[in-house]
Amino acid sequence: MVLATWVIVLIVVGVIALLIVGLYNSLIRLKNQVKNSFAQIDVQLKRRNDLIPNLVNTVKGYMTHERETLENITKARAAVMKATTPEGKAKASNMLSDTLKSLFAVSENYPDLKANQNFLQLQEEITGTENKIAYSRQHYNDIVMVFNTKIQFFPNNVIAGSLGFKEEKSFEATAEERKNVEVKF
Amino acid sequence: MRITFNEIRRNNVQTWFLIFLFFLLISLFGLAVGVYIGDVFLGLIITTLVGIIYTLVVFSTGDKMIMSISGAKPVTKREYPYLYHTVEGLAVAAGLPTPKCYVINDSALNAFATGKKPESASIAVTTGLLEKMNRQELEGVIAHEMSHIKNNDIRVMMLAAVLVGVILLLSQFLLRSFLWGGKGSSKRENNKGTIILILIGLALAILAPFISELIKLSISRKREYMADASGAILTRYPAGLASALRKIAKDPDPLVDNANKATAHLFISTPFRMKKNNKSSLFSTHPPIDERIKRLEEM
């Protein structure tokens, strides 16, 4: 009888230990995904920053009246590089997106520039990268949501807390992104 | 996330089911061939071996086979930056490596994805699609294909295309040899059992294409709705795909020159000419496009 009780206790303890190990491993996997998807945002931000000097140089010769726009872009680019916190970076990055958008808007007034193959290529490349920045943020948010949901569930919340897992923060959608969804055809 | 997980599990089950069914049909063919050559056992062994080798070949090069059947050419980022940026963006959104891009030189508006796993997938689009879609619409279409990749629809659909394709070929071959090849039949005529087997083989040869078609169709229609929905989740913009589908529906020439019955289910929209009443029947590979647009608009 004593032996049987011990066997049962051992089995129960073993099963609980296995469940905890399983939870721990899946949380580690998710946490690494969160980290990786966050790094992906930086990759795209860096890519855009690398493209901008090229763009400014190409545009300079044509846009003699838009000095201010170009200066704003250079400033915003520097701000993205300087920013250290994720929030600061996101804010600077959104500012840079806005300045780039206004540059591409005024470029419509310069037919010579619009005919420049190099400019068109850079515009396509930057627009593509802008999209990738947005998508990499979205992917980060998706993963963070999965992670947070997992550690908030009972009884995961008790165990995850004592294993040292904390909720991750997701990006807020910018005003611009929210507007995008309402576009009608 | 949960939906994706269920989709993947269902797809794994269907992959095995397809392979099982393929071998079942193949061995029935083997039986028929065996009866025809006078040695059932030998017939079975030959067709099973051929089946195994073919399945292995399909697993390693099925995507390239489909691409070359469809007349799709691999393209570089330098040649098609617009396409590549869109595909890269949605790969980032789905958390997947960028698939290889192919272009089909065809004015029809169509696209498909294939591959044996999400990490090594390929996407093909027609030149017509690249010319006529704006950025949001192209994103919608690519997001639909990216969902096929992420849910691992591509493997089942690839297997269905190449395994079912070969069954179609085989049954035609068998049918013809039954109809036209009558040499040395005196030996078997006295055996009633043999005649019955020949009849079964003949019936099979006629039925097999129907069976395989039905399997392929049941697999693909559910998937299209699913991929529309999860594509919309990827872009967060269902109107993009809805507008793309509307353009596709209005396209007067939906025929993709190099599409055939074995690959039709891969495409985002049916690559054949539409009949006047395009109702969802048992034999259509795609749900009616109006219904797909309606569901996207309701999101």
Side-chain angles (χ1 to χ4, degrees), chain B residues 90 138-148 227 230-232 234-235:
Chain B
L90 286 150
L138 184 66
E139 282 202 330
V141 171
I142 301 290
H144 170 101
E145 299 308 335
M146 202 62 80
S147 308
H148 276 318
S230 29
L234 274 188
T235 56

Side-chain angles (χ1 to χ4, degrees), chain B residues 233-265:
Chain B
I233 292 172
L234 274 188
T235 56
R236 305 282 203 267
Y237 190 60
L241 180 56
S243 159
L245 287 178
R246 223 172 282 130
K247 267 191 191 172
I248 290 172
K250 275 191 208 131
D251 187 33
D253 183 24
L255 186 80
V256 177
D257 292 337
N258 282 311
N260 59 35
K261 272 191 177 160
T263 56
H265 65 292

Side-chain angles (χ1 to χ4, degrees), chain A residues 5-46:
Chain A
T5 321
W6 274 110
V7 168
I8 290 170
V9 168
L10 266 178
I11 288 174
V12 169
V13 170
V15 167
I16 291 175
L18 272 181
L19 285 177
I20 292 178
V21 168
L23 175 68
Y24 181 80
N25 286 345
S26 71
L27 284 178
I28 288 287
R29 189 184 309 125
L30 272 174
K31 181 130 193 176
N32 282 334
Q33 278 182 22
V34 169
K35 232 190 268 174
N36 180 45
S37 54
F38 189 76
Q40 275 301 312
I41 305 175
D42 270 351
V43 170
Q44 304 304 341
L45 287 180
K46 187 166 181 311

Side-chain angles (χ1 to χ4, degrees), chain B residues 69-84:
Chain B
I69 292 170
S70 314
K73 304 249 159 11
V75 292
T76 60
K77 192 172 174 178
R78 189 178 288 274
E79 293 168 302
Y80 287 89
Y82 178 41
L83 171 65
Y84 254 94

Side-chain angles (χ1 to χ4, degrees), chain B residues 29 32-33 169-179 201-202 205:
Chain B
F29 277 121
V33 169
L169 270 179
L170 263 181
S171 65
Q172 260 161 24
F173 169 76
L174 206 62
L175 200 59
R176 267 179 209 152
S177 57
F178 270 126
L179 289 178
L202 197 65

Side-chain angles (χ1 to χ4, degrees), chain A residues 124 132 135 138 142 185, chain B residues 85 88 135 139 234 236:
Chain A
E124 166 57 37
K132 276 182 249 173
Y135 278 134
Q138 180 187 311
D142 287 347
F185 277 81
Chain B
H85 288 151
E88 277 172 353
R135 194 164 209 124
E139 282 202 330
L234 274 188
R236 305 282 203 267

